[in-house]
Amino acid sequence: MSKSHAYNLPNGWHKTFYTLWLGCFITGLGYSMTMPFISLFMAELGHYNKLQLNLYSGLAFAMTFIAQAIISPYWGNLADRKGRKLMCMRAAGVMSLTIFITGLAQSALFIICMRFLQGLFSGYINNATALMASETPHQRSGWVMSQMMTAGTAGNLVGPLIGGALSSALGYRIPFFITGSLMFLTFLGTWLLVKEDFTPVSREKMKPMGEIMQGLPNVKLIIIMFVTTMIVQSSTMSIDPIVSLYVKSLMPHSNNIALIAGIVAATPGLGTMLSASHIGHLMDHIGAEKVLRWGLLIATILFIPMTFIPNAWSLAFWRFLLGIVSAGLLPAAQTILTLNVPPEAFGRVFSYNQSFQAVGAVLGSLLGSTISGMFTYEWVFAATGITLLINYLIMQLSSHRQNA
C-alpha cells in the first residue's frame, strides 16, 4: 500500500484499515488453503465415481453460498442497526469453529453440512468492505475498494501454495486446523483493534429497503451492479471447484497433483495483486463504470484460449492474465454502489449485493461441476466466457440508454 495515499485519509483510519485488510487476507488465505483441494479430500473419504465426486465438490462450494444468499439480508439489516464491526466479529468467530471442525470430517456429506453452517455466519470480507466504504472519502473509494480486494486476493495467492504443500506433506486435514486457528486470531484482532464511526439506527427509524431503492437517483444502475456481481462471481466459481480435478486429468501420472493444482489456483491472485493498485487509481481517474465495461470484455476474450489449453502450465498462464483483469471487476461494482448509495443504507445494500454474489457462487459451482461431470472440463470455460459476454452486453445496453 502507498503510504502517501494512506496518509490523505481521516485520522485514526489506519489501524482499522490495516486490521481489516489483514483479516480479509487471512480469510482469503484460509479459503484458498482448503477449498481447491476439497475434491481430493472427499475422494479419500469414500468410493465415488467421477460424476458423484464432481457433484459433491460443487455442493461443498455451493452450500456456503446458498446459506449466504438466504441469510445476508438479515445480517445487513442488523449491520445498519448495530454496526459492521460486530458483523465482522460474528463471521470470524463462527468460521474459526466450523472450519476447524471440517478438518475432522469422516464423509463428504459431513463436509457439505459444515459448509452450509459456515455460510450462515460468514461474510467477513463483505462486512469489512462495507465498513471501509462507509469510513472512506468518496474521492478515494476506487483505490480503497481495490485495496480491500487485494487483501483477499493476496490470501488467495499464497493459500493454494501453502495448502498444496501442507496437503502433500501432512494430508488434507491440517490446512483446516490451521485456518480455524487463524480465523480465531482474526476475531480477536477485529474485536480489539477495529474502530467504527457508527451511529446506531433504531428499528423504528429505519426506512424499508423498498423505499430506499425508490429514492436512489439511478436504481437501474444499482440493480445492474447486483447482476454484475452475480455473474462475475459465477465466472470465478465455475472454475474453482474443478481446478484440481482438471489438473489431475491433464497430468494423470504426476506425483505432485496437489502442489501443481495449488500453483494453477494461485495464478489469478498473482495477476490481481500486481494490477489492483493501478486499476484502483484508474477507477478514481476515469470512472468505475468504464473500467468495469472494459474488464468484462477483456475477460470474455481471455476465456477463448482457455478452452483449448494443452497442459496445466498453459492454464496457469491464461488464469494469470485473467487475474490481472479481474482486479477491476468486483471492486468497480462495489465502487459504483458506494458512490450511489446513502451511508445509512450501506449495510443493507451491501448485504443484498452479497446475496447476489452468493447466488452467483452457487450457480457457478453447480454449472462448473455439472458441465464437467456430464461433458468435458473445456466446456466449463466456454460457458463461463459466454456469461461474461452477456454481462458486458447488459452494461453496454445500459450505457447507451443513459446517453440516449
Side-chain angles (χ1 to χ4, degrees):
M1 187 181 75
S2 171
K3 291 185 177 180
S4 61
H5 291 291
Y7 289 156
N8 290 330
L9 293 164
N11 293 330
W13 181 90
H14 304 89
K15 185 187 294 184
T16 293
F17 175 75
Y18 290 131
T19 302
L20 292 176
W21 192 98
L22 184 59
C24 291
F25 170 80
I26 290 175
T27 303
L29 174 74
Y31 175 86
S32 59
M33 277 177 62
T34 55
M35 291 312 295
F37 316 105
I38 200 76
S39 56
L40 301 176
F41 183 22
M42 286 180 170
E44 291 188 347
L45 301 178
H47 301 287
Y48 309 113
N49 60 39
K50 178 187 175 184
L51 180 58
Q52 286 176 321
L53 189 57
N54 277 275
L55 289 176
Y56 282 149
S57 299
L59 284 172
F61 276 79
M63 278 301 171
T64 294
F65 301 107
I66 290 173
Q68 284 182 353
I70 296 170
I71 202 69
S72 286
Y74 168 77
W75 292 129
N77 185 285
L78 192 62
D80 282 338
R81 291 191 289 115
K82 303 293 185 179
R84 266 71 69 177
K85 175 180 175 178
L86 183 63
M87 297 300 100
C88 289
M89 291 170 57
R90 176 262 304 163
V94 177
M95 286 169 64
S96 69
L97 182 62
T98 56
I99 294 172
F100 191 94
I101 293 175
T102 302
L104 303 173
Q106 298 298 318
S107 69
L109 292 179
F110 182 85
I111 293 175
I112 293 170
C113 290
M114 290 307 299
R115 290 282 296 163
F116 181 81
L117 182 61
Q118 180 181 328
L120 289 177
F121 293 91
S122 62
Y124 186 92
I125 291 178
N126 291 82
N127 281 287
T129 301
L131 196 159
M132 290 311 308
S134 65
E135 299 285 319
T136 303
H138 280 184
Q139 65 269 24
R140 283 278 177 238
S141 292
W143 179 78
V144 169
M145 291 300 100
S146 67
Q147 290 300 311
M148 292 303 291
M149 180 181 178
T150 300
T153 301
N156 289 334
L157 170 62
V158 178
L161 303 178
I162 298 176
L166 288 173
S167 297
S168 295
L170 303 173
Y172 296 110
R173 298 181 186 274
I174 297 301
F176 288 94
F177 299 147
I178 294 175
T179 298
S181 301
L182 289 175
M183 288 307 301
F184 181 69
L185 294 178
T186 299
F187 164 79
L188 293 178
T190 304
W191 177 30
L192 298 173
L193 300 176
V194 169
K195 288 188 176 181
E196 181 181 14
D197 184 13
F198 177 75
T199 301
V201 180
S202 66
R203 186 190 298 269
E204 294 76 18
K205 293 183 179 180
M206 287 183 67
K207 293 182 180 179
M209 191 62 189
E211 182 179 338
I212 291 175
M213 294 294 287
Q214 290 177 1
L216 297 176
N218 195 346
V219 68
K220 289 184 179 179
L221 180 62
I222 302 302
I223 294 173
I224 290 174
M225 289 307 100
F226 289 164
V227 174
T228 296
T229 297
M230 180 182 70
I231 293 178
V232 170
Q233 185 67 17
S234 176
S235 72
T236 299
M237 294 303 298
S238 66
I239 307 300
D240 283 357
I242 55 101
V243 162
S244 59
L245 296 175
Y246 190 22
V247 170
K248 186 175 182 179
S249 73
L250 293 170
M251 308 178 70
H253 304 296
S254 174
N255 295 322
N256 296 307
I257 295 297
L259 181 59
I260 296 172
I263 294 172
V264 173
T267 49
L270 176 60
T272 299
M273 277 289 294
L274 294 175
S275 63
S277 182
H278 296 292
I279 291 179
H281 290 310
L282 187 64
M283 276 192 279
D284 288 332
H285 181 62
I286 69 172
E289 288 187 53
K290 187 174 293 186
V291 169
L292 180 57
R293 286 198 301 272
W294 277 104
L296 289 169
L297 179 60
I298 297 171
T300 299
I301 295 171
L302 288 175
F303 271 97
I304 297 174
M306 277 192 268
T307 61
F308 303 103
I309 57 169
N311 54 57
W313 303 116
S314 295
L315 178 61
F317 171 75
W318 290 109
R319 280 171 60 79
F320 168 75
L321 296 183
L322 182 65
I324 293 176
V325 177
S326 296
L329 298 181
L330 288 180
Q334 291 169 340
T335 299
I336 293 170
L337 290 176
T338 299
L339 298 178
N340 288 274
V341 172
E344 64 271 15
F346 271 174
R348 279 168 289 172
V349 170
F350 271 80
S351 73
Y352 273 84
N353 195 55
Q354 184 179 359
S355 289
F356 275 87
Q357 189 173 352
V359 170
V362 173
L363 294 176
S365 298
L366 298 180
L367 177 72
S369 58
T370 302
I371 291 177
S372 62
M374 297 180 64
F375 302 103
T376 65
Y377 295 109
E378 288 81 3
W379 278 100
V380 179
F381 294 93
T384 302
I386 291 172
T387 61
L388 288 172
L389 177 60
I390 293 172
N391 197 167
Y392 169 74
L393 294 176
I394 292 173
M395 287 288 298
Q396 283 294 98
L397 182 61
S398 172
S399 177
H400 286 316
R401 286 181 175 176
Q402 288 180 7
N403 295 330

